Amino acid sequence: MLAVKELKAGYDKLKVLYGVSFEVREREILAVVGPNGSGKSTLLKAIFGLATVHGGKVVFEGEDITGLPPHVKAKRGLAYLPQIGNTFERLTVYENLMMAGYTLSKEELKERMEEVLSFLPYIAPYLGRKVWNLSGGERQMVAMAMALMRRAKVLMIDEPTAALAPKVVKKLLRKITELRDVLGKGVILVEQNARSALEICDRALLLVAGKQIFLGDPNDLLSDRDLARTYLGVK
Ligand SMILES: Nc1ncnc2c1ncn2[C@@H]1O[C@H](COP(=O)(O)OP(=O)(O)OP(=O)(O)O)[C@@H](O)[C@H]1O
Ligand SMILES: [Mg+2]
């Protein structure tokens, strides 16, 4: 569904990524892990069109979309969920969902909303609440709901579990696996919490200082003691 080929990117002239390549298929979670500042968030931003691409390309459903602006990529079915600022905080949950579905007809909107709330029933009781009154985990659910309102096919999620209580982390990661298993989505999951991301993903990408050090079976990464210990703090 999504193929990233030899992507080099950064901010204006600043180089951050030195050639990253991978694919994400339907029903697949790719976990992107690596130390702070290694370029994980930059990778998502470059794919979505929010960082400077210096070379390589992004192919979505067989089409080169590298240079398209973010809103066009979103329309094609690519969603980017940044760690913060992924919702409209001053609006209610309901208004956020409506915003996400603003191009839909009234009937479609109603149908889509029901679909999304049946997948994410946790947020149903909060529809009338302003997002800034929600917990971190609930906000992540709202961001996910917004992507689903647009029927995103690939969701790129940046550190959704940062600063959440362990119980909430578990719930959120379970929902992410359901994005794959129930809805058939492709997911790129950037996680600080390397072990839990590696446990749920199908493939893992390790970035270190903007270079792709590993791409493959997450179990191979976990069992590579040097890599796992040096870069991920996994024993
Ligand atoms: N908007 C920006 N302008 C200039 N440099 C930036 C910008 N955003 C990030 N960088 C730099 O790019 C490099 C990679 O940052 P990035 O945020 O992609 O890392 P990360 O792997 O997501 O780190 P973390 O785990 O802390 O979130 C860092 O050196 C950072 O300082
Ligand atoms: Mg980051």
Side-chain angles (χ1 to χ4, degrees):
M1 216 155 26
L2 178 74
V4 170
K5 300 178 181 174
E6 277 302 310
L7 192 65
K8 299 181 180 72
Y11 303 92
D12 290 318
K13 285 182 184 152
L14 177 72
K15 290 179 181 157
V16 175
L17 297 176
Y18 299 87
V20 176
S21 304
F22 62 83
E23 283 179 18
V24 179
R25 299 181 196 122
E26 255 169 63
R27 286 186 197 281
E28 193 171 76
I29 298 176
L30 171 82
V32 179
V33 295
N36 291 120
S38 57
K40 304 180 298 294
S41 298
T42 303
L43 175 62
L44 301 190
K45 287 189 258 178
I47 294 170
F48 201 58
L50 297 167
T52 313
V53 173
H54 300 131
K57 57 184 174 177
V58 179
V59 177
F60 188 60
E61 297 186 307
E63 215 182 309
D64 187 342
I65 61 158
T66 318
L68 296 180
H71 72 275
V72 179
K73 288 177 177 162
K75 221 169 172 182
R76 298 270 176 108
L78 192 57
Y80 168 52
L81 284 66
Q83 195 187 325
I84 42 172
N86 52 20
T87 46
F88 301 102
E89 304 219 328
R90 289 160 183 275
L91 301 183
T92 64
V93 173
Y94 179 76
E95 287 163 342
N96 269 270
L97 299 185
M98 296 291 277
M99 291 285 275
Y102 78 103
T103 56
L104 304 173
S105 71
K106 225 174 164 181
E107 292 87 66
E108 275 179 316
L109 202 53
K110 189 163 170 271
E111 202 178 294
R112 210 64 77 83
M113 185 95 67
E114 277 166 15
E115 201 178 288
V116 168
L117 291 177
S118 80
F119 180 73
L120 291 167
Y122 314 109
I123 61 171
Y126 304 134
L127 281 177
R129 259 213 234 170
K130 291 220 162 52
V131 168
W132 53 264
N133 284 324
L134 300 182
S135 71
E138 289 157 356
R139 283 178 199 212
Q140 290 295 339
M141 298 276 184
V142 174
M144 203 186 276
M146 289 172 76
L148 294 175
M149 284 296 290
R150 300 191 205 98
R151 286 235 175 101
K153 295 169 187 165
V154 174
L155 289 88
M156 305 193 287
I157 314 179
D158 199 351
E159 298 201 19
T161 70
L164 298 182
K167 219 173 107 189
V168 185
V169 169
K170 232 173 136 188
K171 201 158 126 182
L172 199 57
L173 290 176
R174 192 176 321 123
K175 267 299 153 194
I176 291 172
T177 61
E178 284 176 25
L179 284 173
R180 170 189 63 194
D181 302 335
V182 178
L183 302 180
K185 308 288 183 191
V187 177
I188 304 180
L189 175 63
V190 169
E191 263 297 342
Q192 196 62 242
N193 191 342
R195 182 178 277 283
S196 42
L198 294 174
E199 277 166 4
I200 63 164
C201 74
D202 302 283
R203 252 171 328 143
L205 169 65
L206 170 62
L207 276 183
V208 178
K211 298 199 172 72
Q212 183 167 332
I213 301 289
F214 175 94
L215 174 67
D217 187 327
N219 295 316
D220 293 344
L221 179 53
L222 278 170
S223 59
D224 185 319
R225 299 186 61 182
D226 286 339
L227 285 182
R229 221 189 268 162
T230 311
Y231 298 119
L232 305 173
V234 171
K235 289 190 191 89

